[in-house]
mmCIF file with all atom_site columns, all heavy atoms in Angstrom:
data_model
loop_
_atom_site.group_PDB
_atom_site.id
_atom_site.type_symbol
_atom_site.label_atom_id
_atom_site.label_alt_id
_atom_site.label_comp_id
_atom_site.label_asym_id
_atom_site.label_entity_id
_atom_site.label_seq_id
_atom_site.pdbx_PDB_ins_code
_atom_site.Cartn_x
_atom_site.Cartn_y
_atom_site.Cartn_z
_atom_site.occupancy
_atom_site.B_iso_or_equiv
_atom_site.pdbx_formal_charge
_atom_site.auth_seq_id
_atom_site.auth_comp_id
_atom_site.auth_asym_id
_atom_site.auth_atom_id
_atom_site.pdbx_PDB_model_num
ATOM 1   N N   . GLY T 1 94  ? 47.351 207.342 -6.409  1.00 90.00 ? 94  GLY T N   1
ATOM 2   C CA  . GLY T 1 94  ? 46.719 208.282 -5.431  1.00 90.00 ? 94  GLY T CA  1
ATOM 3   C C   . GLY T 1 94  ? 45.237 208.205 -5.550  1.00 90.00 ? 94  GLY T C   1
ATOM 4   O O   . GLY T 1 94  ? 44.686 207.397 -6.239  1.00 90.00 ? 94  GLY T O   1
ATOM 5   N N   . ASP T 1 95  ? 44.534 209.099 -4.869  1.00 86.00 ? 95  ASP T N   1
ATOM 6   C CA  . ASP T 1 95  ? 43.128 209.229 -4.887  1.00 86.00 ? 95  ASP T CA  1
ATOM 7   C C   . ASP T 1 95  ? 42.674 209.701 -6.277  1.00 86.00 ? 95  ASP T C   1
ATOM 8   O O   . ASP T 1 95  ? 43.330 210.474 -6.943  1.00 86.00 ? 95  ASP T O   1
ATOM 9   C CB  . ASP T 1 95  ? 42.653 210.187 -3.835  1.00 86.00 ? 95  ASP T CB  1
ATOM 10  C CG  . ASP T 1 95  ? 42.934 209.783 -2.455  1.00 86.00 ? 95  ASP T CG  1
ATOM 11  O OD1 . ASP T 1 95  ? 43.240 208.579 -2.263  1.00 86.00 ? 95  ASP T OD1 1
ATOM 12  O OD2 . ASP T 1 95  ? 42.932 210.550 -1.518  1.00 86.00 ? 95  ASP T OD2 1
ATOM 13  N N   . PRO T 1 96  ? 41.479 209.304 -6.739  1.00 83.00 ? 96  PRO T N   1
ATOM 14  C CA  . PRO T 1 96  ? 40.940 209.775 -7.970  1.00 83.00 ? 96  PRO T CA  1
ATOM 15  C C   . PRO T 1 96  ? 40.853 211.286 -8.066  1.00 83.00 ? 96  PRO T C   1
ATOM 16  O O   . PRO T 1 96  ? 40.390 211.917 -7.074  1.00 83.00 ? 96  PRO T O   1
ATOM 17  C CB  . PRO T 1 96  ? 39.527 209.105 -8.079  1.00 83.00 ? 96  PRO T CB  1
ATOM 18  C CG  . PRO T 1 96  ? 39.652 207.942 -7.208  1.00 83.00 ? 96  PRO T CG  1
ATOM 19  C CD  . PRO T 1 96  ? 40.601 208.287 -6.103  1.00 83.00 ? 96  PRO T CD  1
ATOM 20  N N   . GLY T 1 97  ? 41.351 211.854 -9.090  1.00 81.00 ? 97  GLY T N   1
ATOM 21  C CA  . GLY T 1 97  ? 41.318 213.285 -9.242  1.00 81.00 ? 97  GLY T CA  1
ATOM 22  C C   . GLY T 1 97  ? 42.342 214.088 -8.493  1.00 81.00 ? 97  GLY T C   1
ATOM 23  O O   . GLY T 1 97  ? 42.398 215.333 -8.516  1.00 81.00 ? 97  GLY T O   1
ATOM 24  N N   . GLU T 1 98  ? 43.259 213.352 -7.796  1.00 84.00 ? 98  GLU T N   1
ATOM 25  C CA  . GLU T 1 98  ? 44.232 214.038 -7.012  1.00 84.00 ? 98  GLU T CA  1
ATOM 26  C C   . GLU T 1 98  ? 45.259 214.706 -7.925  1.00 84.00 ? 98  GLU T C   1
ATOM 27  O O   . GLU T 1 98  ? 45.772 214.165 -8.917  1.00 84.00 ? 98  GLU T O   1
ATOM 28  C CB  . GLU T 1 98  ? 44.964 213.028 -6.112  1.00 84.00 ? 98  GLU T CB  1
ATOM 29  C CG  . GLU T 1 98  ? 45.968 213.681 -5.125  1.00 84.00 ? 98  GLU T CG  1
ATOM 30  C CD  . GLU T 1 98  ? 46.316 212.730 -4.017  1.00 84.00 ? 98  GLU T CD  1
ATOM 31  O OE1 . GLU T 1 98  ? 46.070 211.528 -4.080  1.00 84.00 ? 98  GLU T OE1 1
ATOM 32  O OE2 . GLU T 1 98  ? 46.794 213.276 -2.992  1.00 84.00 ? 98  GLU T OE2 1
ATOM 33  N N   . LYS T 1 99  ? 45.685 215.906 -7.603  1.00 87.00 ? 99  LYS T N   1
ATOM 34  C CA  . LYS T 1 99  ? 46.694 216.705 -8.325  1.00 87.00 ? 99  LYS T CA  1
ATOM 35  C C   . LYS T 1 99  ? 48.066 216.395 -7.879  1.00 87.00 ? 99  LYS T C   1
ATOM 36  O O   . LYS T 1 99  ? 48.288 216.185 -6.627  1.00 87.00 ? 99  LYS T O   1
ATOM 37  C CB  . LYS T 1 99  ? 46.382 218.185 -8.255  1.00 87.00 ? 99  LYS T CB  1
ATOM 38  C CG  . LYS T 1 99  ? 44.993 218.563 -8.670  1.00 87.00 ? 99  LYS T CG  1
ATOM 39  C CD  . LYS T 1 99  ? 44.798 218.431 -10.172 1.00 87.00 ? 99  LYS T CD  1
ATOM 40  C CE  . LYS T 1 99  ? 43.460 218.981 -10.670 1.00 87.00 ? 99  LYS T CE  1
ATOM 41  N NZ  . LYS T 1 99  ? 43.246 218.700 -12.115 1.00 87.00 ? 99  LYS T NZ  1
ATOM 42  N N   . PRO T 1 100 ? 49.092 216.422 -8.734  1.00 88.00 ? 100 PRO T N   1
ATOM 43  C CA  . PRO T 1 100 ? 50.497 216.252 -8.383  1.00 88.00 ? 100 PRO T CA  1
ATOM 44  C C   . PRO T 1 100 ? 50.861 217.378 -7.445  1.00 88.00 ? 100 PRO T C   1
ATOM 45  O O   . PRO T 1 100 ? 50.407 218.510 -7.582  1.00 88.00 ? 100 PRO T O   1
ATOM 46  C CB  . PRO T 1 100 ? 51.224 216.276 -9.668  1.00 88.00 ? 100 PRO T CB  1
ATOM 47  C CG  . PRO T 1 100 ? 50.253 215.843 -10.701 1.00 88.00 ? 100 PRO T CG  1
ATOM 48  C CD  . PRO T 1 100 ? 48.919 216.416 -10.255 1.00 88.00 ? 100 PRO T CD  1
ATOM 49  N N   . GLU T 1 101 ? 51.717 217.053 -6.501  1.00 83.00 ? 101 GLU T N   1
ATOM 50  C CA  . GLU T 1 101 ? 52.220 218.023 -5.493  1.00 83.00 ? 101 GLU T CA  1
ATOM 51  C C   . GLU T 1 101 ? 53.230 218.966 -6.144  1.00 83.00 ? 101 GLU T C   1
ATOM 52  O O   . GLU T 1 101 ? 53.265 220.150 -5.773  1.00 83.00 ? 101 GLU T O   1
ATOM 53  C CB  . GLU T 1 101 ? 52.951 217.267 -4.380  1.00 83.00 ? 101 GLU T CB  1
ATOM 54  C CG  . GLU T 1 101 ? 53.468 218.219 -3.270  1.00 83.00 ? 101 GLU T CG  1
ATOM 55  C CD  . GLU T 1 101 ? 54.189 217.482 -2.150  1.00 83.00 ? 101 GLU T CD  1
ATOM 56  O OE1 . GLU T 1 101 ? 54.145 216.164 -2.171  1.00 83.00 ? 101 GLU T OE1 1
ATOM 57  O OE2 . GLU T 1 101 ? 54.706 218.097 -1.309  1.00 83.00 ? 101 GLU T OE2 1
ATOM 58  N N   . PHE T 1 102 ? 54.023 218.502 -7.161  1.00 83.00 ? 102 PHE T N   1
ATOM 59  C CA  . PHE T 1 102 ? 55.070 219.362 -7.752  1.00 83.00 ? 102 PHE T CA  1
ATOM 60  C C   . PHE T 1 102 ? 54.735 219.600 -9.151  1.00 83.00 ? 102 PHE T C   1
ATOM 61  O O   . PHE T 1 102 ? 54.098 218.719 -9.889  1.00 83.00 ? 102 PHE T O   1
ATOM 62  C CB  . PHE T 1 102 ? 56.441 218.673 -7.561  1.00 83.00 ? 102 PHE T CB  1
ATOM 63  C CG  . PHE T 1 102 ? 56.836 218.465 -6.169  1.00 83.00 ? 102 PHE T CG  1
ATOM 64  C CD1 . PHE T 1 102 ? 56.669 217.230 -5.545  1.00 83.00 ? 102 PHE T CD1 1
ATOM 65  C CD2 . PHE T 1 102 ? 57.368 219.485 -5.337  1.00 83.00 ? 102 PHE T CD2 1
ATOM 66  C CE1 . PHE T 1 102 ? 57.035 216.982 -4.246  1.00 83.00 ? 102 PHE T CE1 1
ATOM 67  C CE2 . PHE T 1 102 ? 57.702 219.283 -4.010  1.00 83.00 ? 102 PHE T CE2 1
ATOM 68  C CZ  . PHE T 1 102 ? 57.563 218.011 -3.520  1.00 83.00 ? 102 PHE T CZ  1
ATOM 69  N N   . SER T 1 103 ? 55.229 220.740 -9.763  1.00 83.00 ? 103 SER T N   1
ATOM 70  C CA  . SER T 1 103 ? 55.076 220.997 -11.155 1.00 83.00 ? 103 SER T CA  1
ATOM 71  C C   . SER T 1 103 ? 55.910 219.999 -11.910 1.00 83.00 ? 103 SER T C   1
ATOM 72  O O   . SER T 1 103 ? 56.834 219.348 -11.370 1.00 83.00 ? 103 SER T O   1
ATOM 73  C CB  . SER T 1 103 ? 55.560 222.353 -11.436 1.00 83.00 ? 103 SER T CB  1
ATOM 74  O OG  . SER T 1 103 ? 57.008 222.470 -11.298 1.00 83.00 ? 103 SER T OG  1
ATOM 75  N N   . THR T 1 104 ? 55.615 219.771 -13.212 1.00 83.00 ? 104 THR T N   1
ATOM 76  C CA  . THR T 1 104 ? 56.305 218.763 -14.007 1.00 83.00 ? 104 THR T CA  1
ATOM 77  C C   . THR T 1 104 ? 57.787 219.120 -14.065 1.00 83.00 ? 104 THR T C   1
ATOM 78  O O   . THR T 1 104 ? 58.692 218.207 -14.028 1.00 83.00 ? 104 THR T O   1
ATOM 79  C CB  . THR T 1 104 ? 55.712 218.731 -15.426 1.00 83.00 ? 104 THR T CB  1
ATOM 80  O OG1 . THR T 1 104 ? 54.405 218.370 -15.346 1.00 83.00 ? 104 THR T OG1 1
ATOM 81  C CG2 . THR T 1 104 ? 56.476 217.690 -16.293 1.00 83.00 ? 104 THR T CG2 1
ATOM 82  N N   . PHE T 1 105 ? 58.149 220.397 -14.219 1.00 80.00 ? 105 PHE T N   1
ATOM 83  C CA  . PHE T 1 105 ? 59.549 220.755 -14.268 1.00 80.00 ? 105 PHE T CA  1
ATOM 84  C C   . PHE T 1 105 ? 60.297 220.394 -12.931 1.00 80.00 ? 105 PHE T C   1
ATOM 85  O O   . PHE T 1 105 ? 61.370 219.821 -12.972 1.00 80.00 ? 105 PHE T O   1
ATOM 86  C CB  . PHE T 1 105 ? 59.711 222.233 -14.559 1.00 80.00 ? 105 PHE T CB  1
ATOM 87  C CG  . PHE T 1 105 ? 61.136 222.709 -14.623 1.00 80.00 ? 105 PHE T CG  1
ATOM 88  C CD1 . PHE T 1 105 ? 61.829 222.631 -15.813 1.00 80.00 ? 105 PHE T CD1 1
ATOM 89  C CD2 . PHE T 1 105 ? 61.804 223.267 -13.506 1.00 80.00 ? 105 PHE T CD2 1
ATOM 90  C CE1 . PHE T 1 105 ? 63.147 223.084 -15.896 1.00 80.00 ? 105 PHE T CE1 1
ATOM 91  C CE2 . PHE T 1 105 ? 63.118 223.748 -13.582 1.00 80.00 ? 105 PHE T CE2 1
ATOM 92  C CZ  . PHE T 1 105 ? 63.776 223.605 -14.751 1.00 80.00 ? 105 PHE T CZ  1
ATOM 93  N N   . SER T 1 106 ? 59.697 220.767 -11.862 1.00 78.00 ? 106 SER T N   1
ATOM 94  C CA  . SER T 1 106 ? 60.366 220.493 -10.595 1.00 78.00 ? 106 SER T CA  1
ATOM 95  C C   . SER T 1 106 ? 60.392 219.028 -10.318 1.00 78.00 ? 106 SER T C   1
ATOM 96  O O   . SER T 1 106 ? 61.394 218.453 -9.745  1.00 78.00 ? 106 SER T O   1
ATOM 97  C CB  . SER T 1 106 ? 59.560 221.175 -9.363  1.00 78.00 ? 106 SER T CB  1
ATOM 98  O OG  . SER T 1 106 ? 59.705 222.591 -9.458  1.00 78.00 ? 106 SER T OG  1
ATOM 99  N N   . TRP T 1 107 ? 59.333 218.324 -10.738 1.00 84.00 ? 107 TRP T N   1
ATOM 100 C CA  . TRP T 1 107 ? 59.306 216.825 -10.563 1.00 84.00 ? 107 TRP T CA  1
ATOM 101 C C   . TRP T 1 107 ? 60.464 216.194 -11.328 1.00 84.00 ? 107 TRP T C   1
ATOM 102 O O   . TRP T 1 107 ? 61.252 215.351 -10.708 1.00 84.00 ? 107 TRP T O   1
ATOM 103 C CB  . TRP T 1 107 ? 57.933 216.350 -11.132 1.00 84.00 ? 107 TRP T CB  1
ATOM 104 C CG  . TRP T 1 107 ? 57.718 214.850 -10.993 1.00 84.00 ? 107 TRP T CG  1
ATOM 105 C CD1 . TRP T 1 107 ? 57.828 214.019 -9.923  1.00 84.00 ? 107 TRP T CD1 1
ATOM 106 C CD2 . TRP T 1 107 ? 57.362 213.992 -12.107 1.00 84.00 ? 107 TRP T CD2 1
ATOM 107 N NE1 . TRP T 1 107 ? 57.522 212.778 -10.264 1.00 84.00 ? 107 TRP T NE1 1
ATOM 108 C CE2 . TRP T 1 107 ? 57.224 212.719 -11.572 1.00 84.00 ? 107 TRP T CE2 1
ATOM 109 C CE3 . TRP T 1 107 ? 57.031 214.252 -13.440 1.00 84.00 ? 107 TRP T CE3 1
ATOM 110 C CZ2 . TRP T 1 107 ? 56.751 211.606 -12.343 1.00 84.00 ? 107 TRP T CZ2 1
ATOM 111 C CZ3 . TRP T 1 107 ? 56.645 213.144 -14.235 1.00 84.00 ? 107 TRP T CZ3 1
ATOM 112 C CH2 . TRP T 1 107 ? 56.519 211.907 -13.622 1.00 84.00 ? 107 TRP T CH2 1
ATOM 113 N N   . ILE T 1 108 ? 60.638 216.509 -12.553 1.00 79.00 ? 108 ILE T N   1
ATOM 114 C CA  . ILE T 1 108 ? 61.734 215.968 -13.403 1.00 79.00 ? 108 ILE T CA  1
ATOM 115 C C   . ILE T 1 108 ? 63.054 216.417 -12.849 1.00 79.00 ? 108 ILE T C   1
ATOM 116 O O   . ILE T 1 108 ? 64.017 215.618 -12.826 1.00 79.00 ? 108 ILE T O   1
ATOM 117 C CB  . ILE T 1 108 ? 61.496 216.331 -14.932 1.00 79.00 ? 108 ILE T CB  1
ATOM 118 C CG1 . ILE T 1 108 ? 60.280 215.625 -15.427 1.00 79.00 ? 108 ILE T CG1 1
ATOM 119 C CG2 . ILE T 1 108 ? 62.748 215.874 -15.708 1.00 79.00 ? 108 ILE T CG2 1
ATOM 120 C CD1 . ILE T 1 108 ? 59.886 215.994 -16.846 1.00 79.00 ? 108 ILE T CD1 1
ATOM 121 N N   . ALA T 1 109 ? 63.173 217.643 -12.450 1.00 74.00 ? 109 ALA T N   1
ATOM 122 C CA  . ALA T 1 109 ? 64.435 218.153 -11.940 1.00 74.00 ? 109 ALA T CA  1
ATOM 123 C C   . ALA T 1 109 ? 64.899 217.397 -10.745 1.00 74.00 ? 109 ALA T C   1
ATOM 124 O O   . ALA T 1 109 ? 66.127 217.072 -10.562 1.00 74.00 ? 109 ALA T O   1
ATOM 125 C CB  . ALA T 1 109 ? 64.331 219.694 -11.662 1.00 74.00 ? 109 ALA T CB  1
ATOM 126 N N   . MET T 1 110 ? 63.939 217.180 -9.789  1.00 72.00 ? 110 MET T N   1
ATOM 127 C CA  . MET T 1 110 ? 64.306 216.494 -8.588  1.00 72.00 ? 110 MET T CA  1
ATOM 128 C C   . MET T 1 110 ? 64.745 215.034 -8.883  1.00 72.00 ? 110 MET T C   1
ATOM 129 O O   . MET T 1 110 ? 65.598 214.472 -8.287  1.00 72.00 ? 110 MET T O   1
ATOM 130 C CB  . MET T 1 110 ? 63.136 216.534 -7.543  1.00 72.00 ? 110 MET T CB  1
ATOM 131 C CG  . MET T 1 110 ? 63.009 217.860 -6.862  1.00 72.00 ? 110 MET T CG  1
ATOM 132 S SD  . MET T 1 110 ? 61.939 217.804 -5.414  1.00 72.00 ? 110 MET T SD  1
ATOM 133 C CE  . MET T 1 110 ? 60.353 217.856 -6.289  1.00 72.00 ? 110 MET T CE  1
ATOM 134 N N   . MET T 1 111 ? 64.022 214.390 -9.842  1.00 73.00 ? 111 MET T N   1
ATOM 135 C CA  . MET T 1 111 ? 64.299 213.008 -10.143 1.00 73.00 ? 111 MET T CA  1
ATOM 136 C C   . MET T 1 111 ? 65.682 212.902 -10.782 1.00 73.00 ? 111 MET T C   1
ATOM 137 O O   . MET T 1 111 ? 66.516 212.048 -10.491 1.00 73.00 ? 111 MET T O   1
ATOM 138 C CB  . MET T 1 111 ? 63.339 212.459 -11.138 1.00 73.00 ? 111 MET T CB  1
ATOM 139 C CG  . MET T 1 111 ? 61.954 212.206 -10.423 1.00 73.00 ? 111 MET T CG  1
ATOM 140 S SD  . MET T 1 111 ? 60.846 211.252 -11.512 1.00 73.00 ? 111 MET T SD  1
ATOM 141 C CE  . MET T 1 111 ? 60.600 212.441 -12.865 1.00 73.00 ? 111 MET T CE  1
ATOM 142 N N   . PHE T 1 112 ? 65.944 213.857 -11.727 1.00 66.00 ? 112 PHE T N   1
ATOM 143 C CA  . PHE T 1 112 ? 67.235 213.781 -12.429 1.00 66.00 ? 112 PHE T CA  1
ATOM 144 C C   . PHE T 1 112 ? 68.389 214.078 -11.465 1.00 66.00 ? 112 PHE T C   1
ATOM 145 O O   . PHE T 1 112 ? 69.431 213.428 -11.468 1.00 66.00 ? 112 PHE T O   1
ATOM 146 C CB  . PHE T 1 112 ? 67.311 214.842 -13.572 1.00 66.00 ? 112 PHE T CB  1
ATOM 147 C CG  . PHE T 1 112 ? 68.441 214.664 -14.491 1.00 66.00 ? 112 PHE T CG  1
ATOM 148 C CD1 . PHE T 1 112 ? 68.459 213.614 -15.410 1.00 66.00 ? 112 PHE T CD1 1
ATOM 149 C CD2 . PHE T 1 112 ? 69.478 215.574 -14.418 1.00 66.00 ? 112 PHE T CD2 1
ATOM 150 C CE1 . PHE T 1 112 ? 69.527 213.447 -16.328 1.00 66.00 ? 112 PHE T CE1 1
ATOM 151 C CE2 . PHE T 1 112 ? 70.568 215.417 -15.298 1.00 66.00 ? 112 PHE T CE2 1
ATOM 152 C CZ  . PHE T 1 112 ? 70.578 214.335 -16.239 1.00 66.00 ? 112 PHE T CZ  1
ATOM 153 N N   . GLY T 1 113 ? 68.218 215.056 -10.603 1.00 60.00 ? 113 GLY T N   1
ATOM 154 C CA  . GLY T 1 113 ? 69.252 215.471 -9.687  1.00 60.00 ? 113 GLY T CA  1
ATOM 155 C C   . GLY T 1 113 ? 69.565 214.301 -8.670  1.00 60.00 ? 113 GLY T C   1
ATOM 156 O O   . GLY T 1 113 ? 70.732 214.012 -8.342  1.00 60.00 ? 113 GLY T O   1
ATOM 157 N N   . ALA T 1 114 ? 68.534 213.573 -8.206  1.00 59.00 ? 114 ALA T N   1
ATOM 158 C CA  . ALA T 1 114 ? 68.717 212.562 -7.225  1.00 59.00 ? 114 ALA T CA  1
ATOM 159 C C   . ALA T 1 114 ? 69.282 211.319 -7.875  1.00 59.00 ? 114 ALA T C   1
ATOM 160 O O   . ALA T 1 114 ? 70.016 210.548 -7.331  1.00 59.00 ? 114 ALA T O   1
ATOM 161 C CB  . ALA T 1 114 ? 67.406 212.217 -6.491  1.00 59.00 ? 114 ALA T CB  1
#
Side-chain angles (χ1 to χ4, degrees):
D95 296 343
E98 185 163 17
K99 301 293 184 183
E101 181 181 356
F102 301 99
S103 69
T104 300
F105 180 86
S106 292
W107 180 54
I108 293 173
M110 284 191 284
M111 288 189 298
F112 191 76

